[in-house]
Amino acid sequence: MTSESDLRWMQYALDIARRGQGAVEPNPLVGCVIVINDELIAEGWHEVFGERHAEINALSRCQGVDLTDATLYVTLEPCAHHGKTPPCSQAVIKSGIKRVVIGMQDPFPQVDGQGIEELRQSGIEVVTGVAQQEAELLNAPFIMRQLNQRPWVIGKWAMTLDGKIATHTGSSQWISNDKSRAIVHQIRGRVDAVMIGHQTALSDNPSLNARPAGPRMAARIVVARTPALKLDSNLVSTANQQPLIVTAGPEADGNHLEDLRQHGVEVLRFKNNETILNELLLELAHRNFTNVLIEGGAVLLGACLDQNLIDEAHVFIAPKMVGAETAPSPIGGEGIENMQNALNLINQTVDIIDDDIYISGIVSHNNSPDV
């Protein structure tokens, strides 16, 4: 039975799980706390991919403590298989703990209820589904890759108060302020890839690195059918320092693609222009990419919206107006015909960053995990 105390401690476990963001992917974020008589005895979280899981980190801080009357709270079902580390379910059983409270079941096929069953078979009382919605939201990217075989796609854009991402002449630097751009760099530093469209790469000549560096070094990806990136561009000239992937369709110039490869660029060539985006996301999932940040432009973001591929949005609105019908807006594509079918942003937060308005949240659509 779930109590107010169970909810409080599970929320604490969820809070500390977030400390692993950017360091543990493609593994899920997991937090664990051990409590006796409603007092915290130990805590732990999954800190680094390939190293000890949250339960083991918490249990390691309980040396010499009698855990017979303890309750272990963990945000995700303990694993029951040998992966990079031994099964956590067996460690919990050996600890002597008699009650375990779990946020959500692990959708990973080699776990998926087996850890819960092992605990129950050993005589441990197991309570599941405590703060389940929050646990699923925390690991929505992990769930997406497990259930839909693609990474979690984060859309980001900065726009003026009248909804423009550049003037009618193409001038776009800078719409948002320094603090807003610093937040974007923080996001870049925790994702597996930063993706842009071909025209954005040509017009903006970006670097797409995180400044300062974060816990991950994201691959830079340019989605193109017939790439024409200059070899001295910021992206190509740094391909040997930070991975750069460029897509290409069947009509792409083979000589230019070879030049890109000679400069350290990985070229992914696809047979069908219309399926490049979906095939690319599938390939990234196979490479264990969990989070992909799309920074524009309107064509790429529009294609993602049309195909229900935007899972999370980070939008910066500057108190500026530039006008002009021809000035670009952030999202192109075919769009949605009826307003009642518009995609909604849920679990949203709204912050004022100096003069900018920063809105972020989860995009609610049928392809999302149930969060």
Side-chain angles (χ1 to χ4, degrees):
M1 180 177 179
T2 303
S3 66
E4 182 180 336
S5 176
D6 287 341
L7 287 170
R8 186 175 71 254
W9 286 115
M10 185 59 71
Q11 186 60 62
Y12 183 74
L14 289 165
D15 289 342
I16 64 172
R18 293 183 177 88
R19 299 176 188 175
Q21 191 174 53
V24 305
E25 294 87 349
N27 281 355
L29 305 175
V30 184
C32 177
V33 296
I34 299 172
V35 175
I36 297 178
N37 296 327
D38 211 32
E39 291 188 8
L40 179 66
I41 301 301
E43 63 183 47
W45 61 94
H46 188 26
E47 299 177 11
V48 179
F49 174 73
E51 297 188 4
R52 298 190 304 183
H53 290 185
E55 301 94 316
I56 307 305
N57 282 328
L59 288 169
S60 68
R61 297 182 172 97
C62 296
Q63 300 296 327
V65 179
D66 182 359
L67 298 178
T68 305
D69 296 324
T71 296
L72 182 144
Y73 296 89
V74 63
T75 57
L76 184 71
E77 173 185 7
C79 63
H81 68 292
H82 282 271
K84 291 185 177 293
T85 60
C88 294
S89 56
Q90 290 300 312
V92 174
I93 291 168
K94 292 176 182 177
S95 73
I97 289 173
K98 297 302 181 186
R99 185 172 185 265
V100 173
V101 179
I102 297 171
M104 63 169 283
Q105 188 168 316
D106 191 340
F108 185 60
Q110 290 178 272
V111 184
D112 198 16
Q114 296 179 53
I116 294 171
E117 182 61 23
E118 279 193 10
L119 296 177
R120 285 177 172 157
Q121 288 293 330
S122 72
I124 294 175
E125 176 192 355
V126 180
V127 180
T128 61
V130 176
Q132 180 172 328
Q133 185 175 11
E134 292 91 336
E136 290 176 348
L137 179 61
L138 175 71
N139 276 311
F142 173 75
I143 297 170
M144 177 63 74
R145 197 169 57 82
Q146 294 300 319
L147 299 185
N148 294 307
Q149 289 75 56
R150 72 164 175 84
W152 182 258
V153 176
I154 304 166
K156 167 266 166 184
W157 61 91
M159 65 183 185
T160 61
L161 199 59
D162 53 342
K164 308 298 185 180
I165 59 172
T167 69
H168 68 94
T169 65
S171 173
S172 62
Q173 295 183 351
W174 295 99
I175 293 174
S176 57
N177 62 43
D178 290 344
K179 290 185 179 179
S180 293
R181 296 198 298 275
I183 293 172
V184 176
H185 283 284
Q186 290 173 3
I187 299 172
R188 286 181 183 177
R190 65 171 177 80
V191 300
D192 297 294
V194 179
M195 186 185 300
I196 59 172
H198 185 227
Q199 189 56 48
T200 299
L202 295 180
S203 59
D204 291 356
N205 191 25
S207 298
L208 300 182
N209 56 351
R211 303 184 296 273
R216 304 184 86 77
M217 179 183 284
R220 286 93 47 87
I221 302 177
V222 177
V223 180
R225 295 180 176 184
T226 55
L229 296 178
K230 294 182 179 179
L231 300 182
D232 62 352
S233 66
N234 289 332
L235 288 171
V236 176
S237 64
T238 58
N240 288 315
Q241 287 79 52
Q242 184 171 352
L244 175 62
I245 299 171
V246 175
T247 71
E251 296 86 13
D253 181 348
N255 290 328
H256 185 64
L257 297 185
E258 184 57 33
D259 287 341
L260 290 174
R261 293 188 185 99
Q262 292 298 319
H263 282 74
V265 178
E266 180 182 1
V267 177
L268 294 179
R269 196 159 192 178
F270 299 95
K271 297 180 180 179
N272 186 339
N273 283 330
E274 304 307 317
T275 60
I276 285 178
L277 185 55
N278 279 295
E279 290 187 56
L280 171 62
L281 291 176
L282 182 63
E283 171 62 24
L284 296 180
H286 287 161
R287 299 185 183 195
N288 288 329
F289 282 36
T290 303
N291 294 282
V292 172
L293 173 65
I294 297 183
E295 293 203 25
V299 173
L300 180 57
L301 283 167
C304 288
L305 184 138
D306 287 343
Q307 298 176 57
N308 273 343
L309 294 175
I310 301 179
D311 304 304
E312 182 178 335
H314 293 257
V315 183
F316 300 87
I317 305 171
K320 304 173 182 178
M321 293 181 284
V322 297
E325 291 183 6
T326 56
S329 60
I331 301 180
E334 295 180 4
I336 292 170
E337 293 185 2
N338 298 311
M339 187 58 69
Q340 58 264 34
N341 296 326
L343 302 181
N344 293 316
L345 202 65
I346 60 173
N347 297 97
Q348 72 266 32
T349 60
V350 180
D351 296 304
I352 304 299
I353 310 296
D354 282 348
D355 292 331
D356 290 350
I357 301 171
Y358 171 33
I359 303 173
S360 61
I362 305 301
V363 178
S364 177
H365 54 68
N366 292 334
N367 289 345
S368 291
D370 185 17
V371 295

